[in-house]
Every structure is written in structure tokens, then in C-alpha cells.
Amino acid sequence: MSAPSSSSPLALIRLMRPHQWLKNAFVFAGLVFSQNWHDSAMGLRVVLAFAAFCCASSVVYILNDWHDRASDALQPVKRQRPLASGQVSTAAALALAGALFALGVLLAAGNPALLVLLGVYVALNLAYSWRLKQVPVVDVSIIAAGFMLRLLAGTVAVGIPPSRWLLLTGIFLTLFLGFCKRKAESFHDADSQRAVLEHYPAALLDTYIAVTMTATLTTYSLFATSPEAQLQHGERLLYTVPVVIFGLLRYIYLVHGGRGEDVARDLMRDPWIVLAGLLWLLIFLSHRF
């Protein structure tokens, strides 16, 4: 590992992994599906929750990179990370993590439920980074739990009653994405694979992916046809089901091509998935045109 540099602003930004903040968009799910976006006070609370989770997730990434900096320096891809490559000093990284943690707490101040969810998120992810990512199924369950905590932060923490079917869809979708991530990682050379992949035979991962995708489609379809959704959204939510099916099938295609390890980046890089997302949004908002 090379000697630490002066920690340039660009390297510090890369250390925060801002492209991963896309995952925090789960915080907006409750606001979108409840159609409360005209409530400016509620909208502000959701935006603050989103910003707080961006700070918290960056803290987790920084501490993870700090913990793994020596092993990352030995891997062909991860050695380019700011800490592993020496572009950011250890002191600067820890100072940045402390500042982001303080900012996240400040953004969540006055909302005890959000503070608890943030605390659980950070604790779970640190446990994942330092030990539990080596435990099969537990590792992916913690990834899914992180998404669910974001979803709850955008509902319970801001006073939006969560839909039971939407919560179930969220659970299965995040498990699906987690197992797809492991599948994509399995295409790496054996020397650079995660240790936990030794416990994930290809057939087992394919089974997990098939089960969680089926459950995601089933629960989303039940959500789209549920009386509460029909009352609130009419028939248009039903028309989004084929779009969701296409999106999941396309994503599995990408995963089997070796993509999908970085969920946020790979989703935005595929034009067909981006098009499916825009089509879903167009159908969902069609009543406004």
C-alpha cells in the first residue's frame, strides 16, 4: 500500500461513495405510495430522513474501508479504493466519518424513531462489515434489513402508515437484490472472491434468487390489487406489474452476465432498466396528466 497522500477533496468524496446514496431512495417509498407529496412538512421530514441515511451509510462505508484497507490493497479492484490506495490518510478518513455521523444525528434530531432506526442501521452494518458478512444467509439478511430500515424511516418515522403488502414486497425485493449481488460476485476469480461464497454453491444461489424473485412479484401483485391500493391509486398500479416483471427479469439477465455486484451503479447503467423505471413512474403518475 502506498504512503498516504494529502487526502484530496475528490478522494474524500469517493470514500463516501455518493453513488450508493441511490439505495436510500427507499426512504421515499412511503411518501410516493401514500401520495402525501403535497404535504410540505411531511416532505421535509422525509428529505431529512434521506439525508440522515446518506450520512449514516457513508459512515459505514468509510469504517468498512478503514477496517479492510490492508486486505483491499491486495485485491486488483478494491486496491483502487481511496484508503487502500493511500489517496486518503487514516486520520482524514476517521475525521470524515465522525463529522458525517454528527451531521446524521443532527439531521435526525427531534425524531426519536428516526434516531433509533439510524442507530440500528449503523450497528447492524458495522457488525456485518467486521464479522457477519462471513456467515451465509445472515450476510444477505443484514443487507435486506438495511433496506427495510430505510423503508421504515420513510413511513413510521415520519408518520405515514406502512402498507403490509408494500413492506413484504420490500423484504423480498431486498433479499432478491442481496442474493443477486452474491451471484454477481461469484463470477470473480477464486482469489478475489468473498470468503462467504465458499458456502454458496451456484445452484443454491439460483434457488434463492428464484424464490425471492417469485415472492417479490407475488407480493407486489397482491399489493397492486389490494383494496387499499385500488382505493388510493385506482387501476393504474395494476398496469405497473408487467413493468416490474420485465425489470426483475432484465436484472437477472445482467447478473448472469457478471453485472449486479454494485446494485446502485448497475441499475443506472442499463438503459432498459432505466426505461422500465421511467415507464413505471409514467404509469403511476398518469392520473395527473
Side-chain angles (χ1 to χ4, degrees), residues 53 112-122 148-149 152-154 156-157:
F53 264 91
L114 180 57
L115 281 171
V116 169
L117 291 171
L118 277 175
V120 173
Y121 172 83
V122 172
M148 292 309 300
L149 288 169
L152 289 172
V156 175

Side-chain angles (χ1 to χ4, degrees), residues 15-17 20-21 23-24 52-68 72 81 83 93-94 96-98 100-101 117-130 133 142-143 146 149-150:
L15 183 64
M16 293 165 57
R17 301 194 204 176
Q20 297 286 2
W21 292 348
K23 297 176 182 177
N24 297 322
F53 264 91
C54 288
C55 291
S57 59
S58 287
V59 168
V60 169
Y61 287 127
I62 292 170
L63 294 180
N64 175 70
D65 286 359
W66 169 78
H67 181 265
D68 294 343
D72 286 350
R81 289 178 175 177
L83 270 168
L94 294 179
L96 178 59
L100 287 170
F101 181 79
L117 291 171
L118 277 175
V120 173
Y121 172 83
V122 172
L124 267 180
N125 279 276
L126 289 180
Y128 168 86
S129 296
W130 292 354
K133 64 182 178 183
I142 291 179
I143 294 173
L149 288 169
R150 295 172 172 100

Side-chain angles (χ1 to χ4, degrees), residues 152-212:
L152 289 172
T155 55
V156 175
V158 297
I160 300 173
S163 163
R164 291 171 295 176
W165 285 121
L166 185 58
L167 287 177
L168 284 173
T169 301
I171 290 172
F172 290 122
L173 175 61
T174 52
L175 286 171
F176 166 77
L177 293 175
F179 286 121
C180 282
K181 177 178 172 66
R182 290 292 179 263
K183 181 70 176 180
E185 291 168 344
S186 71
F187 289 98
H188 289 183
D189 294 335
D191 294 340
S192 59
Q193 286 186 3
R194 291 177 183 269
V196 74
L197 285 173
E198 296 179 7
H199 307 285
Y200 281 123
L204 181 62
L205 279 175
D206 289 339
T207 299
Y208 285 159
I209 290 172
V211 168
T212 52

Side-chain angles (χ1 to χ4, degrees), residues 24-78:
N24 297 322
F26 268 65
V27 170
F28 291 100
L31 185 66
V32 170
F33 283 103
S34 67
Q35 300 189 69
N36 283 317
W37 48 71
H38 298 301
D39 187 332
S40 58
M42 184 174 291
L44 177 61
R45 291 197 297 272
V46 174
V47 169
L48 289 176
F50 171 79
F53 264 91
C54 288
C55 291
S57 59
S58 287
V59 168
V60 169
Y61 287 127
I62 292 170
L63 294 180
N64 175 70
D65 286 359
W66 169 78
H67 181 265
D68 294 343
R69 64 193 184 281
S71 59
D72 286 350
L74 302 176
Q75 297 191 7
V77 177
K78 293 182 179 180

